[in-house]
Amino acid sequence: MRMIYLDIDSLRPDHMSCYGYHRQTTPNLDRIAAEGMRFERCYTVSSPCVPSRASFMSGRFGVNHGALTHWGPGCEFQYPEGDGHSERIPFFTRYLRKAGMKTVTFSTFGDRHHAWWYFAGWNEVHTHTLKEGNENADEVNAAVIPWLKAHGKEDDYFLHIQYWDPHSFYTYPRAYMEQWKDSPVGAFPDEAQIEAQQKSTFPRSASFLHWGDHYPETMPGAIRSREDFKHLIDGYDGAVSYMDSFVGELMDTLRELGIEDEVCIVVSADHAESMGEQGIYVEHPCATEAVHHIPLIIKAPGIATAGGTYDGFLYNVDAIATITDMAGLPVPSGWDGKSYLQALQGEEMEGRDYLVMEHALYTCQRSVRDPKWFFLRTYHTGLYDFEEVILYDMEQDPHQTRNVAAKYPEVVNLMEQRIANWLQEQMNKPGYKADPMQKVIETGPYKYLTENDWVSRLRSKGYEEAASKLLGRRTDEGMKPAYEF
C-alpha cells in the first residue's frame, strides 16, 4: 500500500470548499474529497500542536501520553515501559515500519517543538529548512517532489507531508489574498460584536492582534471593523489557497508517475483556528469548537466510498486507528482510537455519542461536544477571560456567543458527569500514571522565563492595561505567560 498523509497546520474545515465554504479555496483538496470520503465531525482530542501530534504518534489521548502542553510540567511524554518499546502501546510510525512499510516524514515539527518522540519510527526524517515551521508550501514541495519522483513508484510506504501555510504569519505572494477582494465574508462577527471585543486585552484579541510593528501585509494590525475582519479572512483564505495550489503540484506528480489512482491520501490537521469566536483571532489557545474541529478526508482506492460523507463524531486518534486497519494491521489494544474502516467502506457505523477534549497551554480546559451542546469547563484561565462554566447551544448559536449554562443546569450536570466518567475511564487503563492537566494547573499555564521582557514589550507598544492584567496573573516571581513575541 502507498499512502500519503497531508498534515495541514491550523486548517479549519469550514474554510474548505469541499466542506461547503462559499469561496473556492481548495479545488485540489476538493478533487481528493470527491474520490474519497469526507468526515464531517472529526475533532482533535488534545490541542494545540504538541498534544495533537503526540496523539498522532502515540494513538493516545493527551491525558494518557502526557504531553498536554508545550513546555515544563504537563509536557512530559509518558512512554509506558521505560527503555525499549511497548507492543501494547506502540508508536504509530514504528508499528507501520515493523510491518514492512517505509515511513517518511517531511516536517520541521520535531525541530520547532524540541519533541524527541516525534522522531520515533521513521525510516527517513526530512526537515528541509531551519525555519522551524515557518516555511511556505513551495519550500516543502521543493523537497517532497524530488523524493516522490525517485521513490513514488515503490510499494508499501507511508509518506507524511506537513504544510504550515494556514498557521500565522501568512507569508505567501499577495495575489493569493487579492483574489478574494470582491468576495464577501460571513456575517459573524458583526460591527457591534467587534466593538464589544475591543475591551479584551488578552493576546490575539481584536485590539491586541499582534505584539509588535512587524507583520505581513496579508494580515491587519488589529480587528476594529468589519473591513479589518475581511482583511484577516482574505489573508487566511489566501494561505489556504496557496497551500492547495501545491497540493495540486503534488497530485500532478503522482499523475506523471502513473500512480494517482493507486495512492491512498489522508488529509487532516493538528488543530484549527479561532477567527473571532470567544473574541480570539488567529490563534488556537483553548478547548473550543473553533480550535478542535478539524478536517478529515480519506481517499483510498478500492476501500473508500467515492464522494461519501460520514456525519458521526470521531477523534483524530480514530483516524490513526483507521489508517492502521487500512494497512491490514490490528489496532493495538493500548491505543485510545478505534477504527472507522467500516464507515469508510460505506457501511453503517455509529460514531461516538459525544467527545471529551482538552487544552492546557494557554488555558486549562476540558470540553464536551455532542450533537446539540458544547460544554466548556475552565480550571485555570491562564491568559484568557473565560467563565468557569460555559454551555453553548450549537443548534441555535453556532458561533458560540451566548452562555446558557444558568438556563440549563441539568445539561451542565450531565456534561460534568461525562468529563468525570471519561477521566475515570482513562485512570482505569493499564499503565495510567497521572493527569498532566493537574500538573499544569498547579503551576499555571505559563512558561518559566523572566517577566520583565514581557511586560516592557507590552508597555512599549502602549498596551499598559494588558501589561498590568497579565502581570497580575503571574503565580511566582520570575514567571511569565507562555506566549511568545
Side-chain angles (χ1 to χ4, degrees), residues 137-430:
D138 61 299
E139 296 174 282
V140 176
N141 272 24
V144 170
I145 298 301
W147 188 96
L148 265 180
K149 290 181 177 179
H151 303 285
K153 289 187 175 182
E154 296 174 5
D155 292 325
D156 296 326
Y157 59 77
F158 177 83
L159 173 61
H160 171 265
I161 305 169
Q162 185 176 355
Y163 293 114
W164 294 86
D165 303 83
H167 189 294
S168 67
F169 290 132
Y170 310 140
T171 55
Y172 55 84
R174 185 180 173 88
Y176 284 86
M177 171 187 173
E178 292 177 338
Q179 66 182 307
W180 315 119
K181 63 181 180 180
D182 297 323
S183 175
V185 294
F188 170 85
D190 60 25
E191 290 286 2
Q193 290 165 327
I194 291 173
E195 177 62 30
Q197 291 173 353
Q198 302 305 306
K199 301 175 183 178
S200 297
T201 56
F202 48 75
R204 294 288 173 92
S205 58
S207 61
F208 188 14
L209 191 60
H210 301 297
W211 43 92
D213 296 328
H214 303 292
Y215 48 87
E217 59 184 358
T218 50
M219 303 179 72
I223 307 296
R224 301 192 186 279
S225 66
R226 286 279 296 172
E227 183 179 356
D228 289 336
F229 178 68
K230 184 180 187 313
H231 185 172
L232 178 62
I233 297 303
D234 288 356
Y236 178 77
D237 289 349
V240 174
S241 175
Y242 183 72
M243 172 277 302
D244 182 81
S245 70
F246 287 92
V247 173
E249 181 184 50
L250 191 73
M251 298 306 294
D252 288 344
T253 302
L254 297 180
R255 193 174 304 115
E256 291 169 9
L257 293 171
I259 59 173
E260 181 184 20
D261 297 329
E262 302 170 16
V263 178
C264 295
I265 299 177
V266 180
V267 181
S268 196
D270 56 342
H271 52 71
E273 196 85 314
S274 295
M275 287 292 176
E277 296 87 359
Q278 289 80 39
I280 302 167
Y281 292 86
V282 208
E283 191 53 280
H284 29 270
C286 42
T288 57
E289 175 80 9
V291 173
H292 280 249
H293 186 198
I294 59 175
L296 177 61
I297 297 167
I298 301 179
K299 172 193 171 185
I303 299 176
T305 303
T309 59
Y310 179 74
D311 198 41
F313 284 114
L314 73 158
Y315 290 117
N316 57 336
V317 291
D318 296 327
I320 299 307
T322 303
I323 291 169
T324 300
D325 201 1
M326 288 167 55
L329 300 173
V331 177
S333 62
W335 285 6
D336 294 319
K338 65 178 183 179
S339 173
Y340 278 68
L341 180 59
Q342 182 179 333
L344 188 63
Q345 294 171 327
E347 302 174 18
E348 289 292 325
M349 181 178 178
E350 291 187 7
R352 297 178 185 266
D353 293 336
Y354 61 89
L355 304 176
V356 177
M357 297 164 284
E358 54 191 352
H359 180 102
L361 178 58
Y362 301 123
T363 59
C364 289
Q365 296 177 326
R366 286 197 167 109
S367 58
V368 182
R369 176 69 156 104
D370 70 16
K372 181 174 175 60
W373 304 105
F374 196 101
F375 175 76
L376 190 64
R377 160 66 77 173
T378 300
Y379 306 102
H380 193 303
T381 56
L383 303 182
Y384 288 84
D385 295 329
F386 283 99
E387 297 175 76
E388 185 176 349
V389 174
I390 297 175
L391 182 69
Y392 296 121
D393 183 339
M394 299 300 291
E395 294 177 351
Q396 301 299 319
D397 181 26
H399 298 296
Q400 309 110 62
T401 61
R402 298 183 298 275
N403 181 7
V404 296
K407 186 177 180 181
Y408 298 99
E410 72 285 358
V411 178
V412 170
N413 289 337
L414 172 63
M415 297 300 187
E416 295 276 28
Q417 190 59 51
R418 284 175 168 177
I419 291 177
N421 291 346
W422 178 85
L423 187 56
Q424 186 62 48
E425 180 184 343
Q426 310 316 311
M427 294 171 64
N428 289 339
K429 290 178 178 178

